[in-house]
Amino acid sequence: NGKAQEFGGTLVVGQSGKIMLVNKQAGEAGLFEPNYSVRASMKVVGIFHTHPYDGGDTGVSFSGADIATAINNRERISIVQSGSEQFMIMRTSNTSSRVDYDRLDSQVNSRIQAFVAKGSDFPAASRQAAIEAAKQHGFAYYQGVSGVFKKQ
């Protein structure tokens, strides 16, 4: 409908041990709600979703809402794709067990605004804020292209 729309799905491990993307679905502008309901033979490990923007921004990393969702739903892995760039967080033994969703989202948005006020463009600001939030909450954070990730 003339607006950028997120898209994604649920990452699972099937009986064969292969990681698959299931429950693929469209989200909304700025929102993707994962569907964690899978067959009994599958184990949910996380989600994948996109970050498109009406203004054409690419390279936009995790939002605070994305990180809070990963924490509160005990995702082991979460991947975001924005343009050709990909971002991944992986749960560690130090990952927070529960957070206030709205508070974390607000904190990350505030950090993005602070980086933009200091001269960063929106995508770079989102990456820096996501790195901070991921580390603060005990995630390993990676950035990459074409499925090749580098730990940050």
Side-chain angles (χ1 to χ4, degrees):
N1 296 330
K3 297 238 181 233
Q5 184 177 25
E6 293 190 9
F7 181 86
T10 307
L11 294 166
V12 300
V13 175
Q15 286 180 316
S16 67
K18 182 179 175 184
I19 295 177
M20 301 176 286
L21 184 65
V22 300
N23 297 339
K24 295 177 246 179
Q25 61 191 29
E28 299 175 16
L31 177 66
F32 173 75
E33 292 189 33
N35 176 356
Y36 297 103
S37 297
V38 298
R39 288 183 278 166
S41 62
M42 298 176 172
K43 178 178 173 131
V44 173
V45 293
I47 65 166
F48 163 84
H49 73 284
T50 61
H51 274 181
Y53 286 86
D54 289 334
D57 284 325
T58 61
V60 179
S61 188
F62 290 92
S63 67
D66 295 333
I67 295 170
T69 296
I71 292 168
N72 292 341
N73 289 299
R74 305 214 38 87
E75 294 170 6
R76 292 182 5 205
I77 184 172
S78 186
I79 301 171
V80 167
Q81 174 126 12
S82 182
S84 63
E85 296 180 62
Q86 297 163 323
F87 308 92
M88 178 171 58
I89 54 176
M90 294 180 72
R91 182 173 290 277
T92 71
S93 60
N94 297 321
T95 301
S96 301
S97 59
R98 193 104 188 122
V99 293
D100 180 310
Y101 176 97
D102 292 325
R103 183 171 181 219
L104 181 52
D105 191 37
S106 178
Q107 287 172 340
V108 171
N109 286 337
S110 292
R111 291 299 293 150
I112 291 170
Q113 290 172 1
F115 287 124
V116 168
K118 290 180 182 176
S120 292
D121 63 10
F122 172 61
S126 79
R127 293 189 297 271
Q128 189 60 41
I131 289 169
E132 287 180 359
K135 288 182 179 180
Q136 177 185 2
H137 292 282
F139 282 104
Y141 179 91
Y142 299 82
Q143 292 180 184
V145 177
S146 299
V148 178
F149 291 88
K150 181 179 178 188
K151 188 172 183 186
Q152 301 298 304

